């Protein structure tokens, strides 16, 4: 499922004027949700609250939910119910539920969860001010199209190292049959390049060196703007900011990419040659049922073009197995496609039947057990490919962005090379001196299926540690792959 915050801790609700309220955030879901959580955390701090990492210490607890698929909804509900116990066993005086789940099921949640004090939707981040001020009603779920994050919004970062997510747009105009995101987030609303660059410069001033660009449909960025802004131009402006070291682009829909953007991936020294493009399937009939607007040949042409023009490309994608109508022949076509393309990273997801999605009305339901078996098989195919790709890195020297201590041991530092995105890809375990926020050169000495081990070279860091002025906050307790069914 998706993760995005800090361990489950509590947060308080003292009068904002006291300046001593304690708040704890749990952010579930995708990186877009994480940005929303960071905005709410910024609102909390501006309202006189202090973020705490232990939920039991908090007077106010905020759960930013995901409501995309069954697994995400289940995790959100379980998290809410577990934290609700702290209203009797801990210091929690107010429990707040925000995000896509409350946007999708406001009345059902309000009736079924009396222990929740406030419900906010997917566009109500700034209304947290009323929650902290004590003036918010219990139900505060607005319209998704009413809000787009802005450089003027308060925001407190929660990511490790010198990395941050930067949201380019809200919503989506696609009509994929399995997806309910347009219902939860509304139609696409792109931010202007001026506003995006303004926020990016502020992040760099805080010490951020890696910008991870996200939206629901990033390849469509700018099409709704009247100023003629394009993805390629905006990415170039961001990469040209002094102090930026890496710019990575997520969630590209599999359509023809313009030459200017491909050229950036291939040649700009700060634009990471990394593509995150959820493809979902490879068989023509399946893509038709999914209403993807293209067939398998376009996908093969696209992979070939990117591999040809961006030789150092890291290609991440995602697939759905068990979608209604998926035959054994179509699944075999998908397996063959993955073997042919040799993607660097693959997320495999079992189809989730969502009542308001068009796919739920389709005939030919696939038995969940069979869908699970297919997911395991495709995952194993990719695991072998991933291991071969990692093995080929042994002996190579890579630039590593140091994130911080390993979850297994505070004595071991971990980081990422430019082919590893935060949260969803593997990591590099480091031997030798390294500080969070540095970029160090290190030689790979051992490979695993998804992670690497490397020795830091005895030389000065390529980029000294930046004093990132933020507090670790929203971080989901589990480190599981983010669901990117874009």
């Amino acid at each position: 499922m998706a993760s995005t915050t800090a361990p489950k801790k509590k947060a308080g609700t003292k009068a904002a004027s006291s300046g001593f309220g304690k708040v704890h955030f749990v952010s579930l879901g995708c990186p877009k949700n994480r940005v929303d959580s960071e905005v709410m955390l910024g609102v909390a701090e501006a309202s006189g609250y202090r973020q705490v990492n232990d939920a039991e210490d908090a007077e106010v607890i905020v759960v930013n939910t995901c409501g995309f698929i069954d697994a995400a909804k289940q995790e959100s509900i379980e998290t809410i119910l577990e934290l609700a116990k702290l209203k009797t066993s801990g210091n929690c005086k107010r429990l707040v539920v925000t995000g896509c789940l409350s946007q999708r099921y406001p009345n059902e949640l309000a009736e079924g969860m009396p222990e929740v004090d406030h419900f906010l939707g997917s566009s109500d981040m700034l209304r947290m001010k009323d929650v902290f001020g004590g003036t918010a009603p219990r139900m505060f779920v607005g319209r998704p199209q009413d809000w787009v994050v802005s450089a003027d919004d308060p925001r407190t970062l929660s990511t490790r190292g010198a990395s941050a997510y930067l949201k380019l747009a809200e919503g989506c105009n696609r009509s994929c049959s399995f997806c309910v995101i347009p219902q939860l987030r509304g139609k696409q609303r792109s931010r202007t390049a001026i506003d995006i660059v303004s926020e990016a410069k502020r992040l760099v001033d805080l010490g951020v060196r890696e910008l991870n660009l996200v939206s629901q449909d990033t390849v469509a960025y700018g099409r709704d703007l009247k100023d003629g802004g394009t993805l390629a131009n905006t990415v170039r402006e961001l990469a040209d900011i002094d102090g930026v070291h890496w710019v990575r682009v997520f969630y590209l829909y599999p359509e023809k990419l313009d030459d200017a953007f491909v050229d950036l991936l291939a040649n700009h020294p700060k634009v990471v040659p990394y593509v995150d493009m959820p493809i979902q399937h490879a068989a023509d009939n399946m893509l038709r049922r999914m209403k993807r607007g293209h067939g398998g040949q376009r996908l093969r042409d696209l992979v070939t073009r990117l591999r040809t023009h961006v030789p150092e490309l890291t290609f991440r994608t995602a697939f759905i197995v068990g979608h209604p109508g998926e035959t054994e022949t179509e699944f075999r076509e998908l397996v063959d496609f993955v073997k042919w393309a040799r993607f660097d990273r693959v997320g495999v997801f079992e189809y989730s039947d969502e009542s308001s999605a068009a796919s739920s009305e389709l005939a030919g339901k696939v038995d969940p057990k069979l869908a699970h078996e297919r997911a395991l098989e495709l995952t194993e195919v990719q695991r072998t490919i991933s291991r071969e790709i990692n093995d080929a890195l042994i002996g190579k020297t890579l630039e590593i962005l140091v994130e911080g201590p390993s979850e297994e041991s505070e004595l071991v530092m971990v980081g990422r090379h430019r082919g590893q995105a935060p949260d969803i890809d593997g990591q590099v375990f480091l031997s030798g001196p390294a500080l969070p926020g540095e970029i160090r050169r290190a030689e790979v000495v051992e490979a695993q299926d998804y992670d690497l081990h490397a020795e830091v070279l005895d030389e000065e860091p390529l980029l000294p540690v930046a004093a990132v002025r933020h507090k670790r906050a929203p971080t989901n307790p589990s480190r599981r792959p983010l669901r990117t069914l874009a």
Side-chain angles (χ1 to χ4, degrees):
M1 126 125 266
S3 320
T4 255
T5 30
K8 296 178 179 177
K9 315 276 180 182
K10 286 7 162 193
T13 290
K14 294 182 179 176
S17 58
S18 71
F20 295 104
K22 298 176 183 178
V23 62
H24 174 76
F25 279 81
V26 173
S27 182
L28 306 171
C30 61
K32 284 92 73 180
N33 242 26
R34 186 176 202 127
V35 174
D36 295 343
S37 294
E38 292 175 344
V39 169
M40 289 188 287
L41 180 57
V43 172
E45 295 187 342
S47 300
Y49 281 80
R50 176 170 61 88
Q51 189 271 144
V52 294
N53 285 331
D54 190 345
E56 295 185 358
D57 294 336
E59 301 155 317
V60 176
I61 300 173
V62 181
V63 183
N64 192 12
T65 63
C66 179
F68 185 29
I69 59 179
D70 282 342
K73 290 184 285 187
Q74 187 63 33
E75 182 180 31
S76 294
I77 291 171
E78 290 175 356
T79 300
I80 295 167
L81 294 177
E82 181 174 336
L83 291 174
K85 298 175 183 177
L86 294 174
K87 297 188 73 176
T88 55
S89 63
N91 294 320
C92 182
K93 298 179 178 65
R94 211 179 304 179
L95 177 60
V96 184
V97 173
T98 72
C100 288
L101 188 69
S102 51
Q103 184 71 48
R104 190 173 183 185
Y105 304 107
N107 297 327
E108 295 89 336
L109 293 178
E111 181 179 351
M113 293 184 166
E115 52 270 89
V116 177
D117 298 282
H118 300 283
F119 292 96
L120 281 72
S122 61
S123 62
D124 306 308
M125 311 308 141
L126 300 182
R127 290 181 174 177
M128 286 298 298
K129 179 179 180 182
D130 298 303
V131 172
F132 293 116
T135 61
R138 184 172 187 239
M139 184 61 64
F140 218 165
V141 177
R143 304 188 316 155
Q145 56 267 39
D146 287 344
W147 183 69
V148 179
V149 67
S150 165
D152 294 330
D153 293 336
R155 182 181 174 191
T156 298
L157 298 183
S158 63
T159 40
R160 297 216 297 172
S163 178
Y165 292 105
L166 184 57
K167 195 185 290 191
L168 303 185
E170 294 282 356
C172 181
N173 291 343
R174 307 283 179 182
S175 57
C176 301
S177 64
F178 55 82
C179 185
V180 298
I181 291 298
Q183 301 170 33
L184 304 180
R185 293 280 181 169
K187 293 293 187 180
Q188 169 134 348
R189 290 99 65 204
S190 299
R191 299 172 62 184
T192 65
I194 292 175
D195 190 60
I196 294 169
V197 171
S198 176
E199 183 179 14
K201 290 180 177 178
R202 188 177 71 191
L203 293 173
V204 170
D205 288 342
L206 291 173
V208 169
R209 297 295 177 260
E210 178 189 57
L211 298 174
N212 296 290
L213 311 184
V214 297
S215 69
Q216 193 60 41
D217 181 13
T218 304
V219 76
Y221 167 78
R223 293 176 183 172
D224 56 318
L225 296 176
K226 297 180 180 180
D227 62 3
T230 67
L231 178 62
N233 288 342
T234 300
V235 170
R236 183 182 295 106
E237 284 191 62
L238 294 170
D240 288 342
I241 295 173
D242 289 340
V244 170
H245 191 74
W246 287 344
V247 175
R248 181 181 285 102
V249 184
F250 288 86
Y251 313 138
L252 296 166
Y253 190 85
E255 64 179 57
K256 178 176 170 55
L257 301 178
D258 65 59
D259 292 340
F261 180 72
V262 174
D263 182 69
L264 284 175
L265 290 174
N267 299 309
H268 198 294
K270 295 182 181 179
V271 178
V272 176
Y274 182 105
V275 164
D276 185 313
M277 180 181 288
I279 290 176
Q280 310 304 7
H281 216 282
D284 287 345
N285 286 339
M286 278 307 311
L287 292 167
R288 189 175 302 113
R289 293 185 196 103
M290 292 177 168
K291 295 185 178 180
R292 295 292 278 175
H294 57 260
Q297 188 57 50
R298 178 203 278 184
L299 300 177
R300 289 180 177 271
D301 292 344
L302 184 56
V303 171
T304 299
R305 179 184 176 217
L306 287 171
R307 293 288 192 201
T308 301
H309 292 281
V310 191
E312 296 185 9
L313 178 71
T314 296
F315 203 136
R316 178 181 180 84
T317 189
F319 297 104
I320 301 173
V321 297
H323 184 280
E326 185 185 52
T327 66
E328 183 65 23
T329 298
E330 289 163 347
F331 175 67
R332 290 295 143 209
E333 187 174 343
L334 174 58
V335 172
D336 290 343
F337 176 73
V338 171
K339 290 179 178 178
W340 168 79
R342 291 185 61 81
F343 296 106
D344 301 85
R345 320 264 186 265
V346 171
V348 181
F349 303 103
E350 298 166 36
Y351 170 77
S352 175
D353 212 9
E354 300 300 315
S355 59
S356 59
S359 290
S360 67
E361 302 296 325
L362 296 176
K365 302 294 186 185
V366 176
D367 184 270
K369 181 179 179 181
L370 178 58
H372 183 64
E373 291 172 354
R374 288 175 177 175
L376 292 177
E377 180 180 344
L378 193 59
T379 298
E380 179 60 22
V381 168
Q382 178 57 34
R383 186 197 64 76
T384 300
I385 295 171
S386 176
R387 181 56 181 265
E388 291 170 354
I389 291 172
N390 273 357
D391 283 342
L393 293 175
I394 295 176
K396 294 187 179 297
T397 298
L398 305 175
E399 290 185 13
I400 306 296
L401 174 59
V402 185
E403 290 191 309
S406 163
E407 294 179 354
E408 285 75 28
S409 171
E410 293 186 356
L411 301 178
V412 177
M413 300 297 281
V414 296
R416 295 178 286 106
H417 62 77
R418 65 179 187 171
Q420 294 172 319
D423 298 321
I424 55 174
D425 293 334
Q427 53 193 356
V428 181
F429 293 85
L430 298 169
S431 298
L435 296 174
E438 287 183 335
I439 292 185
R440 304 293 300 249
R441 292 187 348 122
E443 181 181 347
V444 179
V445 296
E446 182 183 343
Q448 297 176 338
D449 291 344
Y450 304 107
D451 299 324
L452 298 169
H453 294 254
E455 295 181 352
V456 177
L457 300 183
D458 186 18
E459 59 186 27
E460 292 298 312
L462 295 175
L463 192 66
V465 60
V468 182
R469 298 190 292 275
H470 68 227
K471 306 173 181 67
R472 281 294 318 254
T475 311
N476 189 281
S478 60
R479 208 174 168 276
R480 282 176 275 177
L482 298 178
R483 295 194 178 268
T484 56
L485 305 189

